[in-house]
Amino acid sequence: MRLHVIGLGGAGGRIADRLAAAHDDDPFLAGVNAFDTDMDALGTLDALREERRYRFGDAAGGDGLGGDLHAGRRLGDAHASELGRAMDDQRPSLAEAFLIVVGLGGAAGAGAAPALAEELSRLYDAPVYAFGLLPTPSETEEPDGGEGPTSAASGSESPSAPHRPLAERNAARTLDALSDRCAAVLPFDNAAWLRPGETLDGARDRLNGVAVERISALFGAGETPEGAETPQQVLDASDVARAVGSDGEIAAIGHATQAVESPGEGSRFGLGLFGSSEPAEVDTSAAVSAIETVIRKAARGKNTIAVPEGRADRTLLVVGGPPAWLNREAIADGRRWLAEETGSDAILSGDAPVPEGDAVFAVVIRSGIDEPDRVRELRETIA
């Protein structure tokens, strides 16, 4: 699918910049922008050209709003149309979907995200998804990195949770606002991805890499370079839309890879997935084992956010890698296993051949899930 990515605030901008660095020439990335109130933060982005970076508002110095989400909302309402126009040079009308990437615990980026989502939905006939980074429970790092001040502005403290970091309350309110305005919300639970003794600041580069990997694996799976093998089951924008839904539900992305040996040139290939005059040969049992392994790891491994009991109303499976390794029977068995694992009535699926690849991978996205514990904890801060 052709995806237009908008990074809002420091956290969103860094991930958008990293996506541009890794995939700017890939067909799935239709456009990338970074919007922030802080010109210095925009200036640190390496891959995005200057015309793709845009400063909005009059706030200065990082978040610039002291964690005041209400001020951020006013800022977003005032500048949403302006931000929409700032994307015009990348022809957003050609995008099949938009993805807003934002740290949910701040004020400027998180505050502007709902208004921008509403503006994009008004202008274009394409779904708007949000990839939101959740704040860690006890960190007090910079707001644009997904955290915020630990004390609230006057009058905004929640009586039921007077000592909760302000970032958590901002995140809860922003999640609710994005759910009302986006087709789906894909939370990324920073806390779950931290290693023992690791701080968010120390882990930021690694976690940004994980976020980029998951976004690319999902939205890039249906696009193949010119001249590459044509997938047997083509994944398109409508498949993703059916899988994640359109009512602002929370969705989780699982991903796993396993290194494999590239089959030799000119040998015989007998798995029956892709025809070729000089097909390659791969041991069937090895291909079956690799596919079963990555599907199970993608489903049961660490997702962008934990899926309660692994259950979901809708599930999408994508299996990719060198064509000789994409065994049809193993993929079909994996779909049946995943249906039992998730309780989904139907499993949407696609394949992603990578002729020069050196790994088999699986992407599992689940939507219509029960509320994750971390999201429930955040929402309790504003109850």
Side-chain angles (χ1 to χ4, degrees), residues 106-119:
L116 180 58
E118 190 169 1
E119 177 71 4

Side-chain angles (χ1 to χ4, degrees), residues 311-328:
R311 314 298 280 178
D313 291 338
R314 296 176 303 280
T315 304
L316 172 66
L317 169 66
V318 182
V319 179
W325 286 84
L326 301 184
N327 182 279
R328 280 183 178 177

Side-chain angles (χ1 to χ4, degrees), residues 291 294 318-323 325-326 331 350-354 359-363:
I291 289 171
V294 292
V318 182
V319 179
W325 286 84
L326 301 184
I331 294 173
D351 60 85
V354 185
V360 172
F361 68 87
V363 182

Side-chain angles (χ1 to χ4, degrees), residues 267-274 279-284 324 326-328:
S267 56
R268 184 167 179 78
F269 157 64
L271 296 182
L273 183 58
F274 296 99
E281 182 179 355
V282 168
D283 180 74
T284 300
L326 301 184
N327 182 279
R328 280 183 178 177

Side-chain angles (χ1 to χ4, degrees), residues 144-171:
D144 68 1
E147 300 301 328
T150 57
S151 59
S154 177
S156 62
E157 188 76 83
S158 168
S160 63
H163 303 298
R164 291 279 191 168
L166 180 57
E168 295 197 354
R169 296 195 296 279
N170 284 354

Side-chain angles (χ1 to χ4, degrees), residues 87-323:
M87 299 165 52
D88 283 347
D89 65 324
Q90 294 188 73
R91 303 171 70 189
S93 60
L94 299 180
E96 294 177 295
F98 295 91
L99 182 70
I100 296 174
V101 184
V102 61
L104 299 178
L116 180 58
E118 190 169 1
E119 177 71 4
L120 294 174
S121 296
R122 184 182 68 83
L123 293 175
Y124 305 107
D125 186 22
V128 179
Y129 305 118
F131 189 93
L133 295 103
L134 302 181
T136 56
S138 58
E139 295 274 353
T140 58
E141 299 191 25
E142 60 191 273
D144 68 1
E147 300 301 328
T150 57
S151 59
S154 177
S156 62
E157 188 76 83
S158 168
S160 63
H163 303 298
R164 291 279 191 168
L166 180 57
E168 295 197 354
R169 296 195 296 279
N170 284 354
R173 294 187 174 104
T174 304
L175 268 174
D176 286 345
L178 289 173
S179 293
D180 289 340
R181 294 165 176 82
C182 294
V185 179
L186 304 158
F188 185 87
D189 188 2
N190 276 320
W193 284 87
L194 289 178
R195 294 167 179 163
E198 195 173 37
T199 66
L200 183 60
D201 187 53
R204 178 171 288 123
D205 187 64
R206 180 176 63 82
L207 298 193
N208 286 351
V210 174
V212 167
E213 176 189 67
R214 298 295 167 109
I215 292 170
S216 305
L218 171 61
F219 293 104
E223 296 289 344
T224 55
E226 187 175 350
E229 298 273 4
T230 301
Q232 291 287 303
Q233 293 180 288
V234 178
L235 179 74
D236 60 23
S238 64
D239 294 321
V240 175
R242 285 198 300 273
V244 301
S246 59
D247 296 325
E249 291 178 287
I250 288 175
I253 308 172
H255 179 241
T257 64
Q258 178 170 310
V260 297
E261 292 183 4
S262 298
E265 291 283 341
S267 56
R268 184 167 179 78
F269 157 64
L271 296 182
L273 183 58
F274 296 99
S276 172
S277 59
E278 294 186 8
E281 182 179 355
V282 168
D283 180 74
T284 300
S285 62
V288 169
S289 175
I291 289 171
E292 288 179 349
T293 297
V294 292
I295 292 175
R296 286 176 180 261
K297 285 185 175 180
R300 291 182 171 176
K302 191 173 293 183
N303 280 219
T304 46
I305 193 163
V307 180
E309 299 183 354
R311 314 298 280 178
D313 291 338
R314 296 176 303 280
T315 304
L316 172 66
L317 169 66
V318 182
V319 179

